[in-house]
Amino acid sequence: MGVGDVTATTLPATRGLPRFGRLQTIGLIYALFGAFLTFNVVPNLERVDKAVTFEPPPDPLTLSFDPRLVAAIIGVVFIGTGVSTFLGPRLERVAHYGLIVSTACIAPLIIVLALALSDTADTNVLQLMVESLRLGTPIALGAMAGLWCERAGVVNIGIEGMMLGSAGVGFAVYATIGEGTGGTWLWISILVAILTGGLIALLHAIVAVSFRTDQIISGVVINLLALGGTGFLRSEIIVPSGVSSGESTSTIALPGLSDIPIVGSQVFTQKPIFYAMFVVVALSWFVLFKTPFGLRVRACGEHPHAAETLGINVIRTRYTAVIVGGLIAGLAGAWYSLETQGGFEDNMTSGAGFIALAALIFGKWKPWTAFAGAMLFGFSRALGTRLQILGVEIGDFSIPSEFWQSLPFVVTIIVVAGAIGRAVAPAADGQPYQRSR
């Protein structure tokens, strides 16, 4: 029997093997977790009713539930989802919808189990959602900064440095000249922070676009420069000024919207950079995907030489996109030092720029899905803080606060691992460009 005969004999058997790909792997994980939840976790939960509230005291809207019942239902959903992924191509769409539903059930499941494993009777979930939006603000802005750069073909892992540098320089101006008293100098300092982000981005553009240096190395250098430079600013300028903290931006109640029952007073009474984040996301989507300029930017990130043949100045377009991204990153830096804390600390961004890049990958380089990824990370931070407050215990073991603080980075690893292989970056992203001769 020849090689061809062996191949012909074995191929039908190979085709007959059950398909076990990415969908089935994820389904198996859900099925195993659902079985563990239903048959191991649920029977060990106490029979005590808990509640979630949607308004602050003294008379909040309350929804009571039995944690055992809710956890069991979610466990069955997980098992059903896992089984559906093995039922063949005809039910593949059903399996995909099941995975979406199961993934959406993870957040309420965590809240239900946290309440069941703590002595607290209730928790305000609307406040948790609002805090998620607030904590996701700098991540969403960082993701938009990365979106502008990478859609033009320039990798920017220096977002962290742009945010940190802007936060430090903005507050240094506020402390030394404005003396932290608020008013006009606060807004001038925010503008300085935004411009600082643009200047750092200009440095990145010069090194990466004009000199065609490796863009990853350029970003790393910017991060290190910002870390050391802001440390110098704090020790030599901010601390000697005697102004360690100052007035931050005030909350603004949006007319009409802030009067909406239940959600109005919590969602629509926030600070200005929080509102600006939604404007930046919407404008980024509109400009990049609905205008001729946005089309030119995306062309430079996909096929720069083809764009050149159409008369597009690729270098100038990349410069513009990178600087716009830097300005957005500067606004994110201002959120830290001038809106949230009214002060500056060393490395206060704590890796938010890298998480923003993960949100960008998760969002497949699209504005609204990147925004959704940013809110996911914001939720993980808010949830970690809430679980720490609830005092969750498993048996006699009290989960340490360090675990909850690491939750956003754990989510980052999981999300990026799940996105890579499906998310495709712009074709010319990270590739140096040189004019045709």
Side-chain angles (χ1 to χ4, degrees), residues 84-254:
S84 69
T85 61
F86 290 91
L87 296 181
R90 292 183 179 179
L91 295 178
E92 189 168 321
R93 179 174 294 184
V94 175
H96 280 293
Y97 286 131
L99 288 175
I100 293 173
V101 172
S102 296
T103 303
C105 288
I106 293 176
L109 174 64
I110 294 174
I111 295 173
V112 167
L113 292 179
L115 282 171
L117 297 173
S118 73
D119 295 330
T120 306
D122 59 68
T123 190
N124 189 321
V125 293
L126 181 58
Q127 187 181 42
L128 176 62
M129 294 299 106
V130 174
E131 189 67 6
S132 302
L133 288 171
R134 191 184 71 84
L135 292 175
T137 297
I139 300 174
L141 290 172
M144 293 305 104
L147 177 72
W148 273 91
C149 296
E150 301 206 10
R151 276 293 181 175
V154 180
V155 171
N156 187 4
I157 67 168
I159 296 173
E160 173 78 4
M162 294 175 187
M163 293 166 60
L164 181 61
S166 300
V169 173
F171 187 77
V173 171
Y174 188 44
T176 55
I177 303 177
E179 298 180 349
T181 56
T184 303
W185 276 110
L186 174 58
W187 293 103
I188 292 175
S189 300
I190 291 175
L191 178 61
V192 169
I194 294 171
L195 294 176
T196 300
L199 288 173
I200 298 174
L202 175 61
L203 173 63
H204 181 51
I206 291 172
V207 173
V209 178
S210 294
F211 295 145
R212 298 189 295 277
T213 304
D214 187 287
Q215 296 170 10
I216 302 296
I217 294 176
S218 175
V220 170
V221 169
I222 285 175
N223 290 333
L224 296 176
L225 178 64
L227 187 61
T230 53
F232 174 83
L233 275 178
R234 183 176 180 275
S235 62
E236 300 299 326
I237 296 179
I238 297 175
V239 173
S241 73
V243 182
S244 59
S245 62
E247 293 184 20
S248 60
T249 55
S250 302
T251 56
I252 300 173
L254 296 182

Side-chain angles (χ1 to χ4, degrees), residues 209-414:
V209 178
S210 294
F211 295 145
R212 298 189 295 277
T213 304
D214 187 287
Q215 296 170 10
I216 302 296
I217 294 176
S218 175
V220 170
V221 169
I222 285 175
N223 290 333
L224 296 176
L225 178 64
L227 187 61
T230 53
F232 174 83
L233 275 178
R234 183 176 180 275
S235 62
E236 300 299 326
I237 296 179
I238 297 175
V239 173
S241 73
V243 182
S244 59
S245 62
E247 293 184 20
S248 60
T249 55
S250 302
T251 56
I252 300 173
L254 296 182
L257 295 176
S258 59
D259 297 326
I260 297 175
I262 302 176
V263 300
S265 61
Q266 299 185 64
V267 178
F268 299 108
T269 305
Q270 298 293 331
K271 295 190 173 185
I273 298 179
F274 172 84
Y275 296 128
M277 176 262 296
F278 293 98
V279 176
V280 168
V281 175
L283 283 177
S284 296
W285 167 77
F286 179 78
V287 174
L288 286 174
F289 292 91
K290 299 297 179 179
T291 67
F293 174 71
L295 180 60
R296 290 195 293 270
V297 170
R298 290 185 287 123
C300 293
E302 295 288 349
H303 301 288
H305 289 287
E308 182 188 21
T309 63
L310 297 175
I312 297 174
N313 189 325
V314 176
I315 292 179
R316 184 173 63 192
T317 303
R318 286 188 170 184
Y319 260 87
T320 303
V322 172
I323 292 172
V324 169
L327 294 173
I328 297 173
L331 183 62
W335 181 89
Y336 280 99
S337 61
L338 299 170
E339 177 158 298
T340 302
Q341 295 191 19
F344 180 77
E345 300 174 1
D346 291 337
N347 197 26
M348 71 184 308
T349 51
S350 301
F354 300 110
I355 295 178
L357 285 176
L360 181 62
I361 296 172
F362 172 82
K364 299 180 181 179
W365 289 268
K366 296 179 180 179
W368 290 112
T369 46
F371 168 79
M375 293 305 107
L376 171 64
F377 293 115
F379 175 75
S380 68
R381 286 190 60 190
L383 183 62
T385 302
R386 180 62 60 88
L387 295 179
Q388 187 175 344
I389 294 173
L390 290 176
V392 177
E393 295 183 355
I394 300 177
D396 295 329
F397 176 71
S398 179
I399 300 176
S401 61
E402 290 79 8
F403 175 81
W404 303 126
Q405 292 169 5
S406 68
L407 190 59
F409 302 99
V410 174
V411 172
T412 301
I413 294 172
I414 294 173

